Amino acid sequence: MLPMNLANALIDAFQRHPEKAAIYWGGEIITYAQIVEESDWIRNYLLKECQVNPGDRVALWMKNTPEFISILYGVLRAGAVVVPLNYFLTAPEAELILRDSGAKVIFVDDAMYKGANCMREVLPEVNLCHIKNLSAGPSETEQIMHTASVKDEDDLALIIYTSGTTGRSKGAMLTHGNLAHNVNSCVKTMRVSETDKIVLLLPMFHSFMVTVGILLPIKVGGSIVLIQSLHPPKNILQEIIAAGATILPAIPPFYRAFASSSLPELPLRLCISGAAPLPREVLKKFNRQSNMSLLESYGLSEASPVVTLNPVDGPWKAGSIGLPIHDVAVAIMNEQGLEVPRGQTGELWVKGGNVMKGYWNRPEASAEALCHGWLRTGDMGHADEEGYIYVTDRKKDMLLVNGINVYPREIEELIYECEGVKEVSVVGQIDQRKGELPVAFIVMEDGCNQNAHAILEALKPKLAAYKIPRKILFIGKLPRNATGKVLKTVLRKQLQA
């Protein structure tokens, strides 16, 4: 019997069906046996060539490729800790994370090699490995059993660096137990089985894809449909159809694109939107275009990351992030840490085996985020009488107008209802008399008129006067991070300029 941890979940799936398709990569099929062989080679390379010890950190800085998955499991099988790096980072930004994590090895692909090679002078102690130099030979089942990982649930598995939309990114420490708990919760809540094929199209460095796109299908012995080409969007649909994918986890911009086009009949049984708020108008348009279920979810890296999901069988509520997933608790708390009555706004706190160990090398930040087993999310929201949760806004994004709380998402949802509006983000502009004033940045659909007056007139019957944006600025596109979250800090800086 193998010790149950993330690495051994792969071995377990391999033993059950070694020749099954683990990954669909364009026209190529990669079996469980191949992933195990490659991860075995990675494990041996790390232990013998790089002198990696249990608990050492190993960074992965590469685009979405099948090798990412083999390397991830190879690192875990070596007893080391995976540090996925955002491939949109510049070399100096990546260097900060390598220094902070104390990474001993970094794996890169062609796209990242130049940046990583530049860091060799300042970080000579970090072993640089290009994935084109990887090789693997056949591994005997008996040998694989002998190299099973002995890590337990309290051992560190990943350090996921937060996107840093509000400042310097922090490394969320996720243990084998944290991630296994979240995977098991997703299995039960989403009813995932070995017949499912889960689409992986978002960046693999993001916790949403690590858990739902990689660990989840491997755990159940299912398949990963790794999308090879994102542009044009029809390529995604073609690969989904060709592989017979059943579950699509994606972000709102993808569903917005799908909702704006004519969709063919797809094999998907479940579409999940996460990583950023799903505007109601996008949900409505998608539902008009498709008979598939689009369920909004909620999570954060510090919670491994999935926290809530609209029920698979319904009822589904537009604007709601749904109910807590299996074996996870969510409470709406006030500033004193007391639960507020349903319907009242407070901060979302999360509790469960999925909650992180803390932030790497950040004891003060850890103490601020964790309280008696609860994770303070920094998100504001409320629960209705049936327990469905609604996120109002980030606590840090909330505006204070004349001493009254104003939630940008409320304004944004109403602006989305205006004809021709493609995207919108509301931020606060400092005002000496009123504290802050709402300002709306709007992206219009191609060919639609930029009519600020019409938008403001449409808002007046629906919003209190102090919530009406004092300024509307039309821009070509909103600044976003790799997972689709709007960078409101960038918009605020534009107002200050």
Side-chain angles (χ1 to χ4, degrees), residues 78-100:
V81 180
V82 179
V83 183
L85 295 185
N86 181 337
Y87 55 67
F88 292 104
L89 296 179
T90 63
E93 289 171 319
E95 180 191 331
L96 289 175
I97 292 176
L98 291 176
R99 287 186 184 280
D100 186 70

Side-chain angles (χ1 to χ4, degrees), residues 17 19 28 36 45 76 79 87 99 153 156 164 184 191 209 294 360 450 456 481:
H17 28 58
E19 298 308 316
E28 184 182 356
V36 167
Y45 171 78
L76 294 175
Y87 55 67
R99 287 186 184 280
E153 63 179 19
L156 203 55
N184 290 332
R191 300 177 191 168
M209 284 298 96
L294 175 54
W360 178 261
Q450 299 179 353
L456 293 173
N481 68 11

